[in-house]
Each structure stands twice: as structure tokens, then as C-alpha cells.
Amino acid sequence: MIEWSGVIPALTTKFKEDDSLDMDMFGVSLAAQIDAGVNGVIIGGSLGEASTLRDEEKEMLVTFAVRSTAGKIPVILNIAEGSTNEAIYQAALAERWGAKGLMVLPPMRYRSDDRETVQFFKSIAESTTLPILIYNNPVDYKIEVTVDMFAELMDCANIQAVKESTRDVSNVTRLRNRLGERLKILCGVDTIAMEELVMGADGWIAGLVNAFPKETVAIYRLTKAGLIREAAQIYRWFMPLLELDIHPKLVQYIKLAESFTGLGTEYVRAPRLTLTGSERTRIEKIIKDGIAARPKL
């Protein structure tokens, strides 16, 4: 059972300089997230460089996280596949490895129409007992799961939540008006997270939480407690950093931030490359300025 609320980090995947998994640093990161009070973790998402991970690496990450969390929070595996059969296979692996839920993207590489997209999600849901969160990000993945499509998907009891990344804050209200509390809504865009929480979103699937877990959790808790002014003070400080989440190089940017806060390294897997030159100087300044002005919680 997943409540689909609170702060759920989309974890980065930690690598060593030789491109192997850095499980020690992954453990450091995971412990910091748990200590900050997050409500779950997502492994192998876009920020986790999903497309570069082999099945055996996903297994290492999931089983390690399951052991490390010891049931305190759910471990959720991302599924981003090009075929329905492969997505169903990945869902079965996730269940075998001990994951407690799935985050599922629409089909990759083929721009499915509404009917095909709905059937894709239904086929996966019918193949597993795991609860499912649908990642709705038409900006990056070019397929929108509309309110009408979600209404069709409500026939599947284990489709329970959405990672709302349309970047349209009013979509929270549209979903609530149509589906009530049946579908849990979690904001998937760092730069509008507080706004969506104010409008009734249940949680925040966060990116910069990888580097700043306590501040992210504080914003969520203060907002939900109605302490808007206090939450906004932290959120305003955080915004230049949160904007690193909405760039094509969000992986490199957030990993660089993690390296400055001691919760990760900047190593990425090719074709991504670590930052250099003026771009690196610019992003480092944003990170260093943020750390220097970091609020006391």
C-alpha cells in the first residue's frame, strides 16, 4: 500500500569514475533522504538515467534500496519502455526484486494516440498487483494523458496516482474536479511544486531534493500545514536551484549540486558528459550562491 503523498525523490543513479555503480554513495544519499523524512523513493527515472541502466543494475539498486529502507518507505521503480511486452516484463522484475510500486511512462520512441496510450497503461496494470503512478510529461515525452484518458484508466484499481508534469498548474484543479480523490496528484516539476501543493496536490516528486532533502521536505510540510509565508521564504531561496530541474541537462546540473552538498558525485553515463567551461562556471555559481544563503530550518 502506497499513500502517494509527501515528498518522493526521483533519485539520481550514482556512478564511479569507471562507469560502475557507486553503491556506497547511493547508500549515503538514501540515508540522507530517509533522515529528512521523505515518503518514498523512485529508482531509474529520467533523473536516474533510466535509458542507460541494464536490468542487473536496476536489480542492484532496487534490492539495495529495499534492504536499506527496511520497509520504512516504499521503493518505486520507473518503467520507460518502447513496447508493451517489455514494460510488462519490467513490472514483473520490479515485483520480484521487492519494489512496492511502479512509475510508468507512456510508450517510448513511438508517439501513441489516446486509445493506444490508454491500452498500454491498462495492459501493464492488469499484469501486476503493484500500485502504479503514471508519469504525465507531454513537454518532454510528447504524449499527454488527458483528464478524459485518466477517467478511462480509473477502471484499473491499481492505477492510483499521477506525476503531474504538464507544467499547467490548473491541471490539478481539472483532475480534482473530474476524479475527486480517486487519483492522487503529485507535482513533478520543481519550479511549480509549492503552487500545485497549495492547489491541492498530494505530494511532490522532486529533483533538487537529491542535493537539498531537508529544505524540500520543509516546504512540503509547511505548505500542507497552511504556513504559506514560512514555506514561501524557503521556496524563494530555493527557486534558482529548482530551475536546474527544468533543463535538458538536469541530470548533470543536479548531480553537480549533489557533489557540493556531499550527497553524490557528478559522474554521469555517456552520452552525457560532465560540465565544462562557461556552462560549468555558471551552474557552479548558482549552486554556491544557494549554499551560501541556505536558510536555517
Side-chain angles (χ1 to χ4, degrees):
M1 177 68 180
I2 299 179
E3 293 186 6
W4 301 114
S5 64
V7 173
I8 302 179
L11 295 178
T12 59
T13 300
K14 277 59 175 176
F15 296 114
K16 297 179 182 177
E17 192 171 6
D18 66 3
D19 203 44
S20 62
L21 293 181
D22 188 341
M23 300 308 294
D24 290 339
M25 186 54 77
F26 184 61
V28 169
S29 169
L30 200 54
Q33 300 300 327
I34 294 171
D35 182 62
V38 302
N39 301 87
V41 290
I42 294 170
I43 290 174
S46 308
L47 190 52
E49 297 172 77
S51 62
T52 73
L53 296 177
R54 300 184 297 274
D55 285 353
E56 58 267 29
E57 292 175 321
K58 293 178 186 178
E59 181 178 9
M60 287 177 64
L61 292 165
V62 171
T63 55
F64 181 94
V66 169
R67 288 196 308 272
S68 299
T69 57
K72 295 175 186 174
I73 56 173
V75 175
I76 300 156
L77 181 65
N78 179 63
I79 292 179
E81 303 299 334
S83 77
T84 302
N85 286 343
E86 182 60 26
I88 288 170
Y89 173 68
Q90 292 291 323
L93 290 179
E95 200 159 359
R96 185 189 312 165
W97 297 335
K100 297 302 181 186
L102 303 172
M103 180 170 78
V104 184
L105 278 76
M108 297 289 98
R109 293 179 289 279
Y110 169 63
R111 191 170 179 177
S112 53
D113 66 19
D114 291 3
R115 181 174 65 93
E116 291 169 326
T117 304
V118 167
Q119 187 56 55
F120 176 79
F121 287 129
K122 282 188 174 183
S123 296
I124 298 166
E126 290 165 359
S127 78
T128 181
T129 62
L130 293 177
I132 291 172
L133 165 119
I134 289 176
Y135 185 3
N136 189 21
N137 185 349
V139 176
D140 292 322
Y141 299 115
K142 312 308 176 189
I143 295 173
E144 180 172 5
V145 187
T146 65
V147 176
D148 286 344
M149 293 163 72
F150 274 114
E152 285 188 68
L153 290 167
M154 293 302 91
D155 291 341
C156 300
N158 58 337
I159 294 179
Q160 299 176 353
V162 56
K163 180 180 178 182
E164 165 49 45
S165 298
T166 61
R167 304 190 189 183
D168 180 356
V169 175
S170 59
N171 217 33
V172 174
T173 301
R174 293 188 191 98
L175 288 165
R176 278 281 180 262
N177 284 348
R178 182 72 176 275
L179 302 172
E181 297 296 324
R182 167 63 179 84
L183 187 76
K184 297 297 181 182
I185 303 168
L186 295 93
C187 180
V189 182
D190 278 359
T191 55
I192 55 172
M194 185 174 167
E195 289 85 347
E196 292 206 347
L197 290 170
V198 168
M199 293 309 299
D202 300 284
W204 178 2
I205 296 179
L208 267 297
V209 68
N210 281 279
F212 299 94
K214 291 182 179 179
E215 291 84 355
T216 307
V217 171
I219 291 168
Y220 170 80
R221 290 179 176 174
L222 288 167
T223 302
K224 284 302 184 182
L227 299 170
I228 303 303
R229 179 177 297 178
E230 292 84 349
Q233 287 178 340
I234 305 170
Y235 193 55
R236 288 168 185 156
W237 157 80
F238 212 178
M239 187 55 65
L241 291 158
L242 296 178
E243 287 175 337
L244 302 179
D245 182 57
I246 54 171
H247 189 276
K249 289 189 181 177
L250 77 163
V251 174
Q252 290 95 316
Y253 292 176
I254 292 174
K255 281 192 162 184
L256 188 60
E258 284 183 292
S259 74
F260 275 93
T261 60
L263 298 182
T265 67
E266 63 176 301
Y267 299 123
V268 290
R269 183 164 277 179
R272 289 182 177 88
L273 297 173
T274 53
L275 303 176
T276 59
S278 60
E279 182 182 27
R280 182 184 185 91
T281 300
R282 179 173 59 84
I283 300 304
E284 279 193 357
K285 185 179 188 307
I286 293 169
I287 296 165
K288 289 177 179 178
D289 287 352
I291 291 172
R294 200 170 186 174
K296 292 182 179 180
L297 302 179

